[in-house]
Amino acid sequence: MKILFAEIGLEANTLSSERTDLKRWMPGGYSVGEEVIENFQNVADMAGGFIRAGRELGIEMIPAVVLWNAGPLMFDKTRDEAVSILVDEIKKHLGEFQGIALGLHGAGASETCDDLEAFTLKAVRDVVGRDMPIAVCLDLHGNISREMIEMSTILMGIKTYPHVDFPEIAGKALRTLIATIKGEIKPQQALCRVPVIVPQAVCCTMELPMKEFADHVAEYAKQNGLIDATLFHGFAYADVPDTGISITVVAEQDPEKHAKVLGQWIWENREKLLYRGLMPGEAIDKALEILEQPGEGYVVINESSDNPGGGTPGDGTYLCRELLKRNMPATIFGSIVDPETARAAHAAGVGGTFSGRLGGKTDNMHGEPIEFENAEVLNLSNGNAWIVAPIYTGFHLVYGKSARIRIGNVEVVVTENLPHQNFDDRVFLMTGADINQYKLICLKSSVHFKGFFAPRAKGIVATDPPGINTASIQLIEYKKVRRPIFPLEKDFDWKP
């Protein structure tokens, strides 16, 4: 048996003033054909999961393409180019494979398309027909549409945030696909969309409240013998009709009934998902309180509203400005994407000083540029790093020209490119900084960084200044999201 597989997805922040092209999508370049095996066989993502599960099962896996990241709304031209790469690979191997395993995202969108996943699946179906078995594995932040369900044979999502189970669920999707092809099971699917919208900051499945929700769905699926049940958190920063929480069920019997039962439970517990973030000054004060408590170690402050993993520009200045105002020793911020400043640091050289404007150059939503004078260049890097966090382990990030500079007592890592959010300490280490030598570690991420830092840090404090990944979703002016939806509206009744 042969299975063709691919990973193609973009978590699209439609609130951004920027647009995603192929360079923004994959700064280090995408992989096609046999390159996929070479580049992803040891990576903890969906493609790596497909490859490993295929080997364990003795299935020949035909690689197509890997294009995966978060970013702003995609250009239609970029969408068409990316999907055509996938379609061309499918056509090249048409007649060789008995099924397709696709790692998609679930919250993809382009200029004129609110549902990149349905667009992609239709393009695939136009080539392989309606009868080809297709398993789809999605990110937990997918905004799930009925079209996705209708055009897939099996659709399931990962279950954890941080997404440490990418390989596990990709393998499960592949195993379910193969069992379907062999006639061992006859899966049916159902979708229940729940009118609740949540920010990423509240969705960590390692912690309450979302841990309770994830555990409930997992236990229900186990007790009722379901093939799969996924609680999709949705992606609040994509203003599309299907934004919000969804329940999907894959079962041999009564999937609709189970989806509705789970959807009703989510609705009845929706108040637990309300969240209020801290402004930078509040977050720093709380971090200092933790540092004063007995015990050694550093405290992490994560700027969730400018999380590049949610499609933000990564050059927000609110937290950095407050850090510079406090001017505390043993403080490091990493990173701010600013090609101009990164190149100026390289021109000054290690030990040199320079002046300029830091960050805040993409839009007027994430803070004004910070004027600085006589910043000292502490170290320089070519910006190559390999993730060691539990998520995307082994994936190569390309930050481009990067520098660690010191402004007053505060050190800041500045990068030329924006490959992704902070997953671990590599952005610091690549510029020569050992995080264990600092008291405050400041970074840009909502949750994924916790996979690495939670077991190591003395404490973690989130800050939520203005930004297009804000936890204060009541401030977002939605135009397409179906209404009413909680908590934008609170006084309405709903039944699945």
Side-chain angles (χ1 to χ4, degrees):
M1 185 184 296
K2 296 183 181 181
I3 302 293
L4 182 137
F5 74 100
E7 186 176 4
I8 180 168
L10 177 77
E11 186 174 76
N13 192 316
T14 69
L15 310 179
S16 175
S17 61
E18 299 179 275
R19 291 293 179 267
T20 292
D21 57 14
L22 281 175
K23 183 177 181 181
R24 175 66 187 267
W25 199 352
M26 289 286 280
Y30 57 89
S31 300
V32 180
E34 290 303 318
E35 294 175 338
V36 171
I37 303 293
E38 180 181 350
N39 294 336
F40 288 90
Q41 59 185 334
N42 296 316
V43 174
D45 72 339
M46 292 185 193
F50 289 144
I51 294 167
R52 271 168 272 177
R55 286 175 176 169
E56 291 170 3
L57 296 166
I59 300 297
E60 183 175 343
M61 303 296 291
I62 301 174
V65 61
V66 171
L67 258 170
W68 181 271
N69 209 331
L73 194 69
M74 189 187 303
F75 286 115
D76 282 345
K77 179 182 178 181
T78 303
R79 173 203 67 195
D80 294 342
E81 184 175 355
V83 174
S84 70
I85 294 170
L86 172 61
V87 168
D88 287 347
E89 289 299 307
I90 291 173
K91 288 179 177 178
K92 185 188 300 183
H93 297 282
L94 202 59
E96 297 179 34
F97 52 86
Q98 289 72 53
I100 298 176
L102 291 178
L104 305 179
H105 185 278
S110 71
E111 293 168 302
T112 63
C113 174
D114 290 334
D115 189 346
L116 178 62
E117 282 64 36
F119 182 94
T120 303
L121 284 166
K122 183 180 183 304
V124 172
R125 285 288 183 202
D126 286 345
V127 176
V128 302
R130 297 295 306 179
D131 295 332
M132 175 66 69
I134 299 178
V136 176
C137 187
L138 295 176
D139 189 286
L140 196 56
H141 298 115
N143 296 316
I144 311 304
S145 69
R146 297 208 172 274
E147 289 77 12
M148 296 183 205
I149 297 288
E150 292 167 358
M151 287 190 283
S152 60
T153 311
I154 300 149
L155 183 145
M156 61 181 66
I158 59 174
K159 309 298 186 288
T160 62
Y161 185 36
H163 302 331
V164 296
D165 62 339
F166 269 139
E168 175 190 345
I169 303 302
K172 180 180 178 180
L174 181 63
R175 287 179 171 88
T176 306
L177 175 66
I178 292 169
T180 302
I181 294 170
K182 291 180 176 179
E184 296 170 353
I185 60 172
K186 296 181 179 179
Q188 303 174 51
Q189 301 198 99
L191 166 68
C192 179
R193 298 190 61 259
V194 186
V196 175
I197 190 169
V198 290
Q200 285 183 317
V202 78
C203 290
C204 179
T205 57
M206 298 165 57
E207 306 164 351
L208 295 175
M210 193 55 77
K211 185 179 187 303
E212 178 187 354
F213 286 70
D215 289 349
H216 177 83
V217 173
E219 183 61 24
Y220 182 93
K222 180 180 178 181
Q223 292 295 328
N224 289 275
L226 307 182
I227 295 172
D228 186 77
T230 302
L231 162 58
F232 287 96
H233 301 163
F235 185 58
Y237 314 105
D239 184 10
V240 300
D242 292 309
T243 295
I245 286 179
S246 297
I247 292 287
T248 61
V249 170
V250 183
E252 293 199 84
Q253 292 182 340
D254 299 322
E256 194 79 30
K257 179 191 77 173
H258 296 299
K260 288 180 178 180
V261 170
L262 287 168
Q264 182 65 40
W265 187 90
I266 301 296
W267 175 253
E268 292 171 356
N269 288 273
R270 65 193 181 280
E271 294 279 350
K272 298 177 181 179
L273 297 172
L274 295 174
Y275 178 88
R276 188 191 82 84
L278 302 177
M279 293 301 288
E282 296 176 294
I284 293 172
D285 289 341
K286 185 174 180 179
L288 293 177
E289 290 176 5
I290 297 172
L291 286 171
E292 290 174 357
Q293 296 172 6
E296 298 297 318
Y298 54 79
V299 175
V300 176
I301 301 178
N302 63 296
E303 192 172 23
S304 62
S305 53
D306 187 25
N307 167 27
T312 70
D315 69 346
T317 57
Y318 286 109
L319 176 56
C320 189
R321 187 182 299 278
E322 185 66 22
L323 292 170
L324 293 174
K325 178 182 175 182
R326 304 278 185 115
N327 197 34
M328 297 173 294
T331 298
I332 189 167
F333 192 111
S335 62
I336 291 181
V337 59
D338 187 331
E340 178 185 5
T341 301
R343 292 165 191 158
H346 274 253
V350 175
T353 61
F354 70 110
S355 303
R357 299 162 67 246
L358 175 64
K361 297 169 184 175
T362 302
D363 56 39
N364 59 4
M365 301 177 66
H366 298 84
E368 297 295 321
I370 297 171
E371 303 283 345
F372 66 90
E373 295 183 355
N374 300 319
E376 180 184 0
V377 180
L378 301 177
N379 210 331
L380 300 172
S381 171
N382 63 7
N384 286 287
W386 284 262
I387 295 173
V388 297
I391 175 175
Y392 295 130
T393 311
F395 186 72
H396 181 209
L397 297 176
V398 182
Y399 288 94
K401 290 183 177 179
S402 303
R404 179 163 52 95
I405 64 175
R406 181 160 52 212
I407 304 173
N409 288 321
V410 178
E411 297 181 20
V412 182
V413 177
V414 187
T415 68
E416 187 177 28
N417 296 334
L418 180 64
H420 224 299
Q421 64 184 292
N422 293 89
F423 295 110
D424 49 34
D425 66 341
R426 298 298 97 167
V427 75
F428 302 104
L429 190 60
M430 75 182 189
T431 57
D434 177 358
I435 57 173
N436 296 299
Q437 305 303 312
Y438 300 84
K439 292 298 183 182
L440 282 182
I441 311 294
C442 303
L443 48 81
K444 294 179 181 289
S445 178
S446 292
V447 172
H448 280 320
F449 75 99
K450 292 182 180 180
F452 178 88
F453 284 99
R456 295 170 169 84
K458 184 176 182 180
I460 293 174
V461 182
T463 183
D464 186 43
I468 59 173
N469 210 75
T470 178
S472 301
I473 54 176
Q474 294 89 340
L475 302 177
I476 299 173
E477 296 182 5
Y478 290 105
K479 298 177 181 179
K480 295 183 179 181
V481 171
R482 290 191 182 101
R483 310 293 281 267
I485 192 166
F486 180 87
L488 306 184
E489 291 85 28
K490 294 186 178 180
D491 298 322
F492 68 99
D493 295 323
W494 176 80
K495 293 290 183 183

